[in-house]
C-alpha cells in the first residue's frame, strides 16, 4: 500500500511543540462539512443563502396569506421542496465520498523520523 512519510523539523521549537501537541488528541484529516446531527440544519442554512431558494420560499409564505393566495398551498411548495431535496441528496453523497477518502488517508501507514 501507500505510505506517508512525516519528517518533523522541530529544532529550537521542541519545547513549544510539546506543550501545544498535548492540547490535540490526534492529527486525523477531516474534510467533511456535515455530521449526522448537523446535516439537515446546516444544509438548509447553506441552501437558503441562494437567492433563488429565498425567492421560492417567499412565494410559499406569500401563498399562505388568504388574500394573496393564487394556487393551492401544496402546489406552491413542490418546486422548493423538490430543489431542496435534490441538492441535499447531492451534498450528502459528496460529503460521504469525502468521508470515505478521509478514512482511507487516515488509515495509511505512517513513518515518522526524528533525530
Amino acid at each position: 500500500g501507500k505510505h506517508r512519510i512525516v519528517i518533523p523539523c522541530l529544532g529550537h521549537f521542541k519545547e513549544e511543540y510539546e506543550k501545544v501537541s498535548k492540547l490535540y488528541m490526534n492529527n486525523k484529516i477531516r474534510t467533511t462539512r456535515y455530521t449526522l446531527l448537523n446535516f439537515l440544519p446546516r444544509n438548509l442554512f447553506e441552501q437558503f443563502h441562494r437567492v433563488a431558494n429565498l425567492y421560492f420560499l417567499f412565494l410559499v409564505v406569500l401563498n399562505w396569506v388568504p388574500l394573496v393566495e393564487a394556487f393551492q398551498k401544496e402546489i406552491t411548495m413542490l418546486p422548493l421542496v423538490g430543489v431542496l431535496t435534490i441538492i441535499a441528496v447531492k451534498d450528502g453523497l459528496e460529503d460521504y465520498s469525502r468521508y470515505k477518502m478521509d478514512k482511507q488517508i487516515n488509515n495509511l501507514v505512517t513513518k515518522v523520523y526524528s533525530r
Side-chain angles (χ1 to χ4, degrees):
K2 295 182 179 180
H3 289 66
R4 291 190 298 170
I5 299 176
V6 179
I7 303 173
C9 181
L10 300 177
H12 58 281
F13 296 108
K14 187 172 183 175
E15 294 88 22
E16 184 179 345
Y17 170 77
E18 289 175 356
K19 290 178 188 175
V20 173
S21 66
K22 291 178 185 177
L23 302 174
Y24 299 102
M25 296 300 290
N26 56 35
N27 63 347
K28 290 187 177 186
I29 295 171
R30 182 175 178 266
T31 59
T32 57
R33 279 194 243 169
Y34 308 110
T35 63
L36 288 175
L37 295 176
N38 74 359
F39 176 75
L40 190 61
R42 188 165 182 188
N43 188 271
L44 288 174
F45 178 76
E46 289 176 3
Q47 287 192 46
F48 282 116
H49 274 87
R50 298 182 181 133
V51 177
N53 291 343
L54 285 174
Y55 171 74
F56 282 110
L57 179 65
F58 173 73
L59 289 179
V60 168
V61 170
L62 192 63
N63 204 34
W64 282 87
V65 177
L67 295 174
V68 186
E69 183 179 350
F71 306 109
Q72 292 179 348
K73 296 171 185 160
E74 296 80 17
I75 292 176
T76 310
M77 291 173 38
L78 284 177
L80 180 64
V81 171
V83 168
L84 293 179
T85 303
I86 290 170
I87 294 174
V89 168
K90 178 193 68 88
D91 288 346
L93 291 174
E94 286 177 357
D95 206 54
Y96 181 68
S97 67
R98 280 192 218 110
Y99 166 76
K100 289 193 317 188
M101 185 61 73
D102 292 346
K103 191 174 180 183
Q104 182 181 6
I105 289 172
N106 288 329
N107 289 329
L108 291 175
V109 177
T110 304
K111 294 181 182 178
V112 177
Y113 293 102
S114 66
R115 298 178 189 189

